[in-house]
Amino acid sequence: MIECTNCETPQFLQITRSRVYFEDGEMINEITETYECTLCGGTGTYTFHGDDDETSVTGDIEVTRERPRFA
C-alpha cells in the first residue's frame, strides 16, 4: 500500500501523473506514478521496474505492507 508519510494514511493520496513504459510493446518495463496528498500537500513518486521487479519511492510517500494506521 502506498501512503503519505506526513499523514500516515493513503486516504487522501491522488495520482496526478501516471506513465507506463513498454520497451518491446508487450512487457511492462516501467510504471511511474506521481502522487499528491490532498490533506497536507505532500508529493511523491512511485516507480516500478519490471526488468528486476524493484520498486522505488521518493518524496512524501512510502510503500508499506501493513494496514494503514489511520483509515
Side-chain angles (χ1 to χ4, degrees):
M1 178 165 297
I2 298 172
E3 67 181 30
C4 176
T5 56
N6 299 327
C7 302
E8 298 180 351
T9 183
Q11 184 175 2
F12 300 101
L13 285 180
Q14 289 186 345
I15 298 174
T16 57
R17 187 174 147 221
S18 182
R19 177 179 169 254
V20 178
Y21 177 69
F22 297 91
E23 185 174 302
D24 60 5
E26 292 187 22
M27 291 205 38
I28 295 175
N29 291 80
E30 185 178 290
I31 299 172
T32 303
E33 297 174 332
T34 303
Y35 290 86
E36 179 180 359
C37 180
T38 58
L39 183 63
C40 73
T43 59
T45 302
Y46 166 85
T47 304
F48 169 78
H49 302 280
D51 296 334
D52 49 13
D53 288 338
E54 275 193 32
T55 60
S56 61
V57 292
T58 59
D60 298 319
I61 63 171
E62 67 180 346
V63 177
T64 65
R65 301 210 186 284
E66 302 172 5
R67 293 177 56 93
R69 186 172 176 192
F70 302 106

